Amino acid sequence: MRWSDSLADPRPSKNFVLAIDPAAPPPGLEGAVVAIGNFDGVHRGHVAVIRRAEALAQKLGRPCAVLTFEPHPTDFFRGEKTIFRLAPMQAKAKSLERLGIDGMIVITFDAALASLTAEQFIAEILLRRLGVRAVVAGYDFHFGAGRKGTPVFLKQSGERHGFLVEIVERVSAIGSEADEAASSTATRAALEAGDVEHAAHLLGHPFSIMGEVLHGQKLGRALGFPTANLLPEPSCRLRHGIYAVRVEVDDALYSGVASFGRRPTVDNGSPLLEAYLFDFSGDLYGKTIEVCFIGWIRPEEKFSSLDALKAQIAADAEQAKQMLRVDIAKG
């Protein structure tokens, strides 16, 4: 699966509205058709919900937006960083903008929101603050205190209050032998096992980590393999190891090899993502880049010397190049 094919939006870009805790319908999103959910990872099931909302918005002549929540409700109820976030807010917004919709509305998930009954959620959030024209949700969407708001309740509420509701049925993952549902839970399990190819089948695009390039120890440069270093989200539980990657820098794509882990040969420190970009020259410090994981190469390991590490990095780079050539051929 080629990154450029699976994520890039061929249509002309539009002004994307990012609204956080609006008290009234955000400018440009008045009377919107809203796809509602967590959308962590923006996987195939999420995209099906969003595309249904987009089609309805076009039919009604209304803007299309996603309504989502931060922090993730699981983190609110069970404690910060409980959930392995597939797409923190910045990454989620970028993925949604690529889909060509009009905006993303983020509501803070706090005690006040959690205490709203399903009916109060509809009256306060959907009607008073957002003034929605229509709502689209997945078959398993629940809302309100005690998760008592069901898809059936949402449809009935729409009939009472005068907004349209459409519910999207379960979406299966392409390439799944057991008709596995495209879900964030299944994707997290695949990533924790290092199976980034299966995660891509579930998501519909490669898993990625986005962040600002940080200054490091410059060891990679000394070894002849200068790396772009990113600090992952604390919740990230991607398996530590070496991966074939593609990296977006200033809207350009580069192939590369990346290490995600604690660098046992060097310092066994906090988890760090280090990406070596093939055929790139220039200063990346301070830039925001996106590292997309295409294939698993090997687990992280401790080497007896820096020379042994250098030799292995060279071998990893060659293996990554081969994997990426195969990936392009499959695309």
Side-chain angles (χ1 to χ4, degrees), residues 17-73:
V17 177
L18 175 58
I20 300 176
D21 287 327
L29 300 181
E30 299 91 343
V33 176
V34 171
I36 183 171
N38 287 317
F39 299 102
D40 190 24
V42 193
H43 61 58
R44 293 182 187 278
H46 297 150
V47 172
V49 173
I50 294 165
R51 290 306 188 205
R52 179 77 68 84
E54 186 178 38
L56 183 56
Q58 291 174 349
K59 179 180 178 181
L60 297 173
R62 301 283 182 156
C64 177
V66 156
L67 170 60
T68 189
F69 309 94
E70 292 288 342
H72 193 287

CSV table of all heavy atoms in Angstrom, one decimal, residues 17-73:
chain,number,residue,atom,x,y,z
A,17,VAL,N,-11.5,24.2,8.9
A,17,VAL,CA,-11.8,24.9,10.2
A,17,VAL,C,-11.5,23.9,11.3
A,17,VAL,O,-12.1,22.8,11.4
A,17,VAL,CB,-13.3,25.3,10.2
A,17,VAL,CG1,-13.6,26.0,11.6
A,17,VAL,CG2,-13.6,26.3,9.1
A,18,LEU,N,-10.7,24.4,12.3
A,18,LEU,CA,-10.5,23.6,13.5
A,18,LEU,C,-11.1,24.4,14.6
A,18,LEU,O,-10.6,25.5,15.0
A,18,LEU,CB,-9.0,23.4,13.7
A,18,LEU,CG,-8.6,22.7,15.0
A,18,LEU,CD1,-9.3,21.4,15.2
A,18,LEU,CD2,-7.1,22.6,15.2
A,19,ALA,N,-12.1,24.0,15.2
A,19,ALA,CA,-12.8,24.7,16.3
A,19,ALA,C,-12.8,23.9,17.6
A,19,ALA,O,-13.1,22.7,17.6
A,19,ALA,CB,-14.3,24.9,15.9
A,20,ILE,N,-12.3,24.5,18.7
A,20,ILE,CA,-12.1,23.8,19.9
A,20,ILE,C,-13.1,24.5,20.9
A,20,ILE,O,-13.1,25.7,21.2
A,20,ILE,CB,-10.7,23.9,20.5
A,20,ILE,CG1,-9.7,23.3,19.5
A,20,ILE,CG2,-10.6,23.3,21.9
A,20,ILE,CD1,-8.3,23.4,19.8
A,21,ASP,N,-14.0,23.6,21.5
A,21,ASP,CA,-15.0,24.1,22.5
A,21,ASP,C,-15.8,25.3,22.0
A,21,ASP,O,-15.9,26.3,22.8
A,21,ASP,CB,-14.3,24.3,23.8
A,21,ASP,CG,-13.9,23.0,24.5
A,21,ASP,OD1,-14.6,22.0,24.3
A,21,ASP,OD2,-12.9,23.1,25.2
A,22,PRO,N,-16.4,25.3,20.8
A,22,PRO,CA,-17.1,26.4,20.4
A,22,PRO,C,-18.4,26.6,21.2
A,22,PRO,O,-19.1,25.6,21.6
A,22,PRO,CB,-17.5,26.1,18.9
A,22,PRO,CG,-17.5,24.6,18.9
A,22,PRO,CD,-16.4,24.2,19.8
A,23,ALA,N,-18.8,27.8,21.6
A,23,ALA,CA,-20.0,28.1,22.3
A,23,ALA,C,-21.2,28.2,21.3
A,23,ALA,O,-22.4,28.2,21.7
A,23,ALA,CB,-19.9,29.3,23.1
A,24,ALA,N,-20.9,28.5,20.1
A,24,ALA,CA,-21.9,28.6,19.0
A,24,ALA,C,-21.3,28.0,17.8
A,24,ALA,O,-20.1,27.7,17.7
A,24,ALA,CB,-22.2,30.1,18.8
A,25,PRO,N,-22.2,27.8,16.8
A,25,PRO,CA,-21.7,27.1,15.5
A,25,PRO,C,-20.5,27.9,15.0
A,25,PRO,O,-20.5,29.1,14.8
A,25,PRO,CB,-22.9,27.2,14.6
A,25,PRO,CG,-24.1,27.2,15.5
A,25,PRO,CD,-23.6,28.0,16.7
A,26,PRO,N,-19.4,27.2,14.7
A,26,PRO,CA,-18.2,27.9,14.2
A,26,PRO,C,-18.4,28.5,12.8
A,26,PRO,O,-19.1,27.9,12.0
A,26,PRO,CB,-17.1,26.8,14.2
A,26,PRO,CG,-17.6,25.7,15.1
A,26,PRO,CD,-19.1,25.8,15.0
A,27,PRO,N,-17.9,29.7,12.6
A,27,PRO,CA,-18.0,30.3,11.2
A,27,PRO,C,-17.5,29.3,10.1
A,27,PRO,O,-16.4,28.7,10.3
A,27,PRO,CB,-17.1,31.5,11.3
A,27,PRO,CG,-17.1,31.9,12.7
A,27,PRO,CD,-17.1,30.6,13.5
A,28,GLY,N,-18.4,29.1,9.2
A,28,GLY,CA,-18.0,28.1,8.1
A,28,GLY,C,-18.6,26.8,8.3
A,28,GLY,O,-18.7,25.9,7.4
A,29,LEU,N,-19.1,26.5,9.6
A,29,LEU,CA,-19.7,25.2,9.9
A,29,LEU,C,-21.1,25.3,10.4
A,29,LEU,O,-21.6,24.4,11.0
A,29,LEU,CB,-18.8,24.5,10.9
A,29,LEU,CG,-17.3,24.2,10.5
A,29,LEU,CD1,-16.6,23.4,11.6
A,29,LEU,CD2,-17.3,23.4,9.2
A,30,GLU,N,-21.7,26.4,10.1
A,30,GLU,CA,-23.1,26.6,10.5
A,30,GLU,C,-24.0,25.6,9.8
A,30,GLU,O,-24.0,25.4,8.6
A,30,GLU,CB,-23.6,28.0,10.2
A,30,GLU,CG,-22.8,29.1,10.9
A,30,GLU,CD,-21.7,29.7,10.1
A,30,GLU,OE1,-21.3,29.0,9.1
A,30,GLU,OE2,-21.2,30.8,10.4
A,31,GLY,N,-24.9,25.0,10.6
A,31,GLY,CA,-25.9,24.0,10.0
A,31,GLY,C,-25.2,22.8,9.3
A,31,GLY,O,-25.7,22.3,8.3
A,32,ALA,N,-24.1,22.4,9.9
A,32,ALA,CA,-23.3,21.4,9.3
A,32,ALA,C,-23.9,20.0,9.4
A,32,ALA,O,-24.7,19.7,10.3
A,32,ALA,CB,-21.9,21.4,9.9
A,33,VAL,N,-23.5,19.1,8.5
A,33,VAL,CA,-23.6,17.7,8.7
A,33,VAL,C,-22.4,17.2,9.4
A,33,VAL,O,-21.3,17.4,9.0
A,33,VAL,CB,-23.8,17.0,7.3
A,33,VAL,CG1,-23.9,15.4,7.5
A,33,VAL,CG2,-25.0,17.5,6.6
A,34,VAL,N,-22.6,16.6,10.6
A,34,VAL,CA,-21.5,16.2,11.5
A,34,VAL,C,-21.4,14.7,11.6
A,34,VAL,O,-22.3,14.0,11.9
A,34,VAL,CB,-21.8,16.9,12.9
A,34,VAL,CG1,-20.8,16.3,13.9
A,34,VAL,CG2,-21.7,18.4,12.8
A,35,ALA,N,-20.2,14.2,11.3
A,35,ALA,CA,-19.8,12.9,11.7
A,35,ALA,C,-19.3,12.9,13.1
A,35,ALA,O,-18.4,13.6,13.4
A,35,ALA,CB,-18.8,12.3,10.7
A,36,ILE,N,-19.8,12.0,13.9
A,36,ILE,CA,-19.5,12.1,15.3
A,36,ILE,C,-18.8,10.8,15.8
A,36,ILE,O,-19.2,9.7,15.5
A,36,ILE,CB,-20.8,12.4,16.2
A,36,ILE,CG1,-20.4,12.6,17.6
A,36,ILE,CG2,-21.8,11.4,15.9
A,36,ILE,CD1,-21.6,13.1,18.4
A,37,GLY,N,-17.8,11.0,16.6
A,37,GLY,CA,-17.1,9.8,17.2
A,37,GLY,C,-15.7,10.2,17.7
A,37,GLY,O,-15.3,11.4,17.6
A,38,ASN,N,-14.9,9.2,18.1
A,38,ASN,CA,-13.5,9.5,18.5
A,38,ASN,C,-12.6,9.6,17.4
A,38,ASN,O,-11.6,10.3,17.4
A,38,ASN,CB,-13.0,8.4,19.5
A,38,ASN,CG,-13.7,8.5,20.9
A,38,ASN,OD1,-13.8,9.6,21.4
A,38,ASN,ND2,-14.1,7.4,21.4
A,39,PHE,N,-12.8,8.8,16.4
A,39,PHE,CA,-12.0,8.8,15.1
A,39,PHE,C,-10.5,8.6,15.4
A,39,PHE,O,-9.7,9.2,14.7
A,39,PHE,CB,-12.3,10.1,14.3
A,39,PHE,CG,-13.7,10.2,13.9
A,39,PHE,CD1,-14.6,11.0,14.5
A,39,PHE,CD2,-14.2,9.4,12.8
A,39,PHE,CE1,-15.9,11.1,14.1
A,39,PHE,CE2,-15.5,9.5,12.4
A,39,PHE,CZ,-16.4,10.4,13.0
A,40,ASP,N,-10.1,7.9,16.4
A,40,ASP,CA,-8.7,7.7,16.7
A,40,ASP,C,-8.1,6.8,15.6
A,40,ASP,O,-8.4,5.6,15.5
A,40,ASP,CB,-8.5,7.1,18.1
A,40,ASP,CG,-7.0,7.1,18.5
A,40,ASP,OD1,-6.3,7.9,18.0
A,40,ASP,OD2,-6.7,6.3,19.4
A,41,GLY,N,-7.1,7.4,14.9
A,41,GLY,CA,-6.5,6.6,13.8
A,41,GLY,C,-7.1,6.9,12.4
A,41,GLY,O,-6.5,6.6,11.4
A,42,VAL,N,-8.4,7.4,12.4
A,42,VAL,CA,-9.1,7.7,11.1
A,42,VAL,C,-9.0,6.4,10.3
A,42,VAL,O,-8.5,6.5,9.1
A,42,VAL,CB,-8.6,8.9,10.4
A,42,VAL,CG1,-9.6,9.3,9.3
A,42,VAL,CG2,-8.5,10.1,11.4
A,43,HIS,N,-9.5,5.3,10.8
A,43,HIS,CA,-9.4,4.0,10.0
A,43,HIS,C,-10.6,3.9,9.0
A,43,HIS,O,-11.4,4.8,8.9
A,43,HIS,CB,-9.4,2.8,11.0
A,43,HIS,CG,-10.5,2.7,11.9
A,43,HIS,ND1,-11.8,2.5,11.5
A,43,HIS,CD2,-10.6,2.6,13.3
A,43,HIS,CE1,-12.7,2.4,12.5
A,43,HIS,NE2,-12.0,2.4,13.6
A,44,ARG,N,-10.6,2.7,8.4
A,44,ARG,CA,-11.6,2.5,7.3
A,44,ARG,C,-13.0,2.7,7.8
A,44,ARG,O,-13.9,3.2,7.0
A,44,ARG,CB,-11.4,1.1,6.7
A,44,ARG,CG,-10.1,0.8,6.0
A,44,ARG,CD,-10.1,-0.6,5.4
A,44,ARG,NE,-8.8,-0.9,4.9
A,44,ARG,CZ,-8.4,-0.6,3.6
A,44,ARG,NH1,-9.2,0.1,2.9
A,44,ARG,NH2,-7.2,-0.9,3.2
A,45,GLY,N,-13.3,2.2,9.0
A,45,GLY,CA,-14.7,2.4,9.5
A,45,GLY,C,-15.0,3.9,9.7
A,45,GLY,O,-16.1,4.3,9.4
A,46,HIS,N,-14.0,4.6,10.2
A,46,HIS,CA,-14.2,6.1,10.4
A,46,HIS,C,-14.4,6.7,9.1
A,46,HIS,O,-15.3,7.6,8.9
A,46,HIS,CB,-13.0,6.7,11.1
A,46,HIS,CG,-12.7,6.2,12.5
A,46,HIS,ND1,-11.4,6.1,13.0
A,46,HIS,CD2,-13.5,5.7,13.4
A,46,HIS,CE1,-11.5,5.6,14.2
A,46,HIS,NE2,-12.8,5.3,14.5
A,47,VAL,N,-13.6,6.4,8.1
A,47,VAL,CA,-13.7,7.0,6.8
A,47,VAL,C,-15.1,6.7,6.1
A,47,VAL,O,-15.7,7.6,5.5
A,47,VAL,CB,-12.6,6.6,5.8
A,47,VAL,CG1,-12.8,7.1,4.4
A,47,VAL,CG2,-11.2,7.0,6.4
A,48,ALA,N,-15.6,5.5,6.4
A,48,ALA,CA,-17.0,5.2,5.9
A,48,ALA,C,-18.0,6.2,6.5
A,48,ALA,O,-18.9,6.6,5.8
A,48,ALA,CB,-17.3,3.8,6.2
A,49,VAL,N,-17.9,6.4,7.8
A,49,VAL,CA,-18.8,7.4,8.4
A,49,VAL,C,-18.6,8.8,7.9
A,49,VAL,O,-19.6,9.5,7.5
A,49,VAL,CB,-18.6,7.4,10.0
A,49,VAL,CG1,-19.4,8.4,10.6
A,49,VAL,CG2,-18.9,6.0,10.6
A,50,ILE,N,-17.4,9.2,7.7
A,50,ILE,CA,-17.1,10.5,7.2
A,50,ILE,C,-17.6,10.7,5.7
A,50,ILE,O,-18.2,11.7,5.4
A,50,ILE,CB,-15.6,10.9,7.3
A,50,ILE,CG1,-15.2,10.9,8.8
A,50,ILE,CG2,-15.3,12.2,6.6
A,50,ILE,CD1,-13.8,10.9,9.0
A,51,ARG,N,-17.4,9.7,4.9
A,51,ARG,CA,-17.8,9.8,3.5
A,51,ARG,C,-19.4,9.8,3.4
A,51,ARG,O,-19.9,10.5,2.5
A,51,ARG,CB,-17.3,8.6,2.7
A,51,ARG,CG,-15.8,8.7,2.5
A,51,ARG,CD,-15.3,10.0,1.8
A,51,ARG,NE,-13.9,10.0,1.4
A,51,ARG,CZ,-13.2,11.1,1.3
A,51,ARG,NH1,-13.7,12.3,1.6
A,51,ARG,NH2,-12.0,11.0,0.9
A,52,ARG,N,-20.0,9.1,4.3
A,52,ARG,CA,-21.5,9.1,4.3
A,52,ARG,C,-22.0,10.5,4.7
A,52,ARG,O,-22.9,11.1,4.1
A,52,ARG,CB,-22.1,8.1,5.3
A,52,ARG,CG,-23.6,8.1,5.4
A,52,ARG,CD,-24.3,7.4,4.3
A,52,ARG,NE,-24.0,6.0,4.3
A,52,ARG,CZ,-24.6,5.1,5.0
A,52,ARG,NH1,-25.7,5.5,5.8
A,52,ARG,NH2,-24.3,3.8,5.0
A,53,ALA,N,-21.3,11.1,5.7
A,53,ALA,CA,-21.6,12.5,6.1
A,53,ALA,C,-21.4,13.5,5.0
A,53,ALA,O,-22.1,14.4,4.7
A,53,ALA,CB,-20.8,12.9,7.3
A,54,GLU,N,-20.3,13.3,4.3
A,54,GLU,CA,-19.9,14.1,3.1
A,54,GLU,C,-20.9,14.1,2.0
A,54,GLU,O,-21.4,15.1,1.5
A,54,GLU,CB,-18.5,13.8,2.6
A,54,GLU,CG,-18.0,14.7,1.6
A,54,GLU,CD,-16.6,14.3,1.1
A,54,GLU,OE1,-16.3,13.0,1.0
A,54,GLU,OE2,-15.8,15.2,0.9
A,55,ALA,N,-21.4,12.8,1.7
A,55,ALA,CA,-22.4,12.7,0.7
A,55,ALA,C,-23.7,13.4,1.1
A,55,ALA,O,-24.4,14.0,0.2
A,55,ALA,CB,-22.6,11.2,0.4
A,56,LEU,N,-24.1,13.2,2.3
A,56,LEU,CA,-25.3,13.8,2.8
A,56,LEU,C,-25.2,15.4,2.8
A,56,LEU,O,-26.1,16.1,2.4
A,56,LEU,CB,-25.6,13.3,4.2
A,56,LEU,CG,-26.9,13.8,4.9
A,56,LEU,CD1,-28.1,13.5,4.0
A,56,LEU,CD2,-27.1,13.2,6.3
A,57,ALA,N,-24.0,15.9,3.2
A,57,ALA,CA,-23.8,17.3,3.2
A,57,ALA,C,-23.9,17.9,1.8
A,57,ALA,O,-24.5,18.9,1.5
A,57,ALA,CB,-22.4,17.6,3.8
A,58,GLN,N,-23.4,17.2,0.8
A,58,GLN,CA,-23.5,17.6,-0.6
A,58,GLN,C,-24.9,17.6,-1.1
A,58,GLN,O,-25.3,18.5,-1.8
A,58,GLN,CB,-22.6,16.7,-1.5
A,58,GLN,CG,-21.1,16.9,-1.3
A,58,GLN,CD,-20.3,15.9,-2.1
A,58,GLN,OE1,-20.8,14.9,-2.7
A,58,GLN,NE2,-19.0,16.1,-2.1
A,59,LYS,N,-25.7,16.6,-0.7
A,59,LYS,CA,-27.1,16.5,-1.0
A,59,LYS,C,-27.9,17.7,-0.4
A,59,LYS,O,-28.8,18.3,-1.1
A,59,LYS,CB,-27.7,15.2,-0.6
A,59,LYS,CG,-29.1,15.0,-0.9
A,59,LYS,CD,-29.6,13.7,-0.3
A,59,LYS,CE,-31.1,13.5,-0.6
A,59,LYS,NZ,-31.6,12.1,-0.1
A,60,LEU,N,-27.5,18.1,0.8
A,60,LEU,CA,-28.3,19.1,1.5
A,60,LEU,C,-27.7,20.5,1.3
A,60,LEU,O,-28.3,21.5,1.7
A,60,LEU,CB,-28.3,18.8,3.0
A,60,LEU,CG,-29.0,17.6,3.5
A,60,LEU,CD1,-28.7,17.3,5.0
A,60,LEU,CD2,-30.4,17.6,3.1
A,61,GLY,N,-26.5,20.6,0.6
A,61,GLY,CA,-25.9,21.9,0.4
A,61,GLY,C,-25.3,22.5,1.7
A,61,GLY,O,-25.4,23.7,1.9
A,62,ARG,N,-24.8,21.6,2.6
A,62,ARG,CA,-24.3,22.0,3.9
A,62,ARG,C,-22.8,21.7,4.0
A,62,ARG,O,-22.3,20.8,3.3
A,62,ARG,CB,-25.1,21.3,5.0
A,62,ARG,CG,-26.6,21.6,5.0
A,62,ARG,CD,-26.9,22.9,5.5
A,62,ARG,NE,-28.3,23.2,5.5
A,62,ARG,CZ,-28.9,24.0,6.3
A,62,ARG,NH1,-28.2,24.7,7.2
A,62,ARG,NH2,-30.3,24.2,6.3
A,63,PRO,N,-22.1,22.4,4.9
A,63,PRO,CA,-20.7,22.0,5.2
A,63,PRO,C,-20.7,20.6,5.9
A,63,PRO,O,-21.7,20.2,6.5
A,63,PRO,CB,-20.2,23.1,6.1
A,63,PRO,CG,-21.4,23.7,6.7
A,63,PRO,CD,-22.5,23.6,5.7
A,64,CYS,N,-19.5,19.9,5.8
A,64,CYS,CA,-19.3,18.7,6.5
A,64,CYS,C,-18.2,18.8,7.5
A,64,CYS,O,-17.1,19.3,7.1
A,64,CYS,CB,-19.0,17.6,5.4
A,64,CYS,SG,-18.7,15.9,6.1
A,65,ALA,N,-18.4,18.3,8.7
A,65,ALA,CA,-17.4,18.4,9.8
A,65,ALA,C,-17.4,17.1,10.6
A,65,ALA,O,-18.4,16.3,10.6
A,65,ALA,CB,-17.6,19.6,10.7
A,66,VAL,N,-16.3,16.9,11.3
A,66,VAL,CA,-16.2,15.8,12.3
A,66,VAL,C,-16.3,16.4,13.7
A,66,VAL,O,-15.7,17.5,13.9
A,66,VAL,CB,-14.9,15.1,12.1
A,66,VAL,CG1,-14.5,14.4,13.4
A,66,VAL,CG2,-15.0,14.1,11.0
A,67,LEU,N,-17.1,15.8,14.5
A,67,LEU,CA,-17.2,16.2,15.9
A,67,LEU,C,-16.5,15.1,16.7
A,67,LEU,O,-16.8,13.9,16.7
A,67,LEU,CB,-18.6,16.3,16.4
A,67,LEU,CG,-18.9,16.4,17.9
A,67,LEU,CD1,-18.2,17.7,18.4
A,67,LEU,CD2,-20.4,16.5,18.2
A,68,THR,N,-15.4,15.5,17.5
A,68,THR,CA,-14.7,14.5,18.2
A,68,THR,C,-14.3,15.1,19.6
A,68,THR,O,-14.7,16.2,19.9
A,68,THR,CB,-13.4,14.1,17.5
A,68,THR,OG1,-12.7,13.0,18.1
A,68,THR,CG2,-12.4,15.3,17.3
A,69,PHE,N,-13.6,14.3,20.4
A,69,PHE,CA,-13.4,14.7,21.8
A,69,PHE,C,-12.0,14.5,22.3
A,69,PHE,O,-11.3,13.6,21.9
A,69,PHE,CB,-14.3,13.8,22.7
A,69,PHE,CG,-15.7,13.7,22.2
A,69,PHE,CD1,-16.2,12.7,21.4
A,69,PHE,CD2,-16.6,14.7,22.6
A,69,PHE,CE1,-17.5,12.7,20.9
A,69,PHE,CE2,-17.9,14.7,22.1
A,69,PHE,CZ,-18.4,13.7,21.3
A,70,GLU,N,-11.5,15.5,23.1
A,70,GLU,CA,-10.2,15.4,23.7
A,70,GLU,C,-10.3,15.8,25.2
A,70,GLU,O,-11.0,16.7,25.5
A,70,GLU,CB,-9.2,16.4,23.0
A,70,GLU,CG,-8.9,16.0,21.6
A,70,GLU,CD,-7.9,14.8,21.5
A,70,GLU,OE1,-7.3,14.5,22.5
A,70,GLU,OE2,-7.9,14.2,20.4
A,71,PRO,N,-9.6,15.0,26.1
A,71,PRO,CA,-8.8,13.8,25.8
A,71,PRO,C,-9.7,12.7,25.4
A,71,PRO,O,-11.0,12.8,25.4
A,71,PRO,CB,-8.1,13.6,27.1
A,71,PRO,CG,-9.1,14.1,28.1
A,71,PRO,CD,-9.7,15.3,27.5
A,72,HIS,N,-9.1,11.6,25.0
A,72,HIS,CA,-9.9,10.4,24.7
A,72,HIS,C,-10.7,10.0,26.0
A,72,HIS,O,-10.2,10.0,27.1
A,72,HIS,CB,-8.9,9.2,24.3
A,72,HIS,CG,-9.6,8.1,23.7
A,72,HIS,ND1,-10.4,7.2,24.4
A,72,HIS,CD2,-9.7,7.6,22.4
A,72,HIS,CE1,-10.9,6.3,23.6
A,72,HIS,NE2,-10.4,6.5,22.4
A,73,PRO,N,-12.0,9.7,25.8
A,73,PRO,CA,-12.8,9.3,27.0
A,73,PRO,C,-12.2,8.3,27.9
A,73,PRO,O,-12.4,8.3,29.1
A,73,PRO,CB,-14.1,8.9,26.3
A,73,PRO,CG,-14.2,9.6,25.1
A,73,PRO,CD,-12.8,9.7,24.6
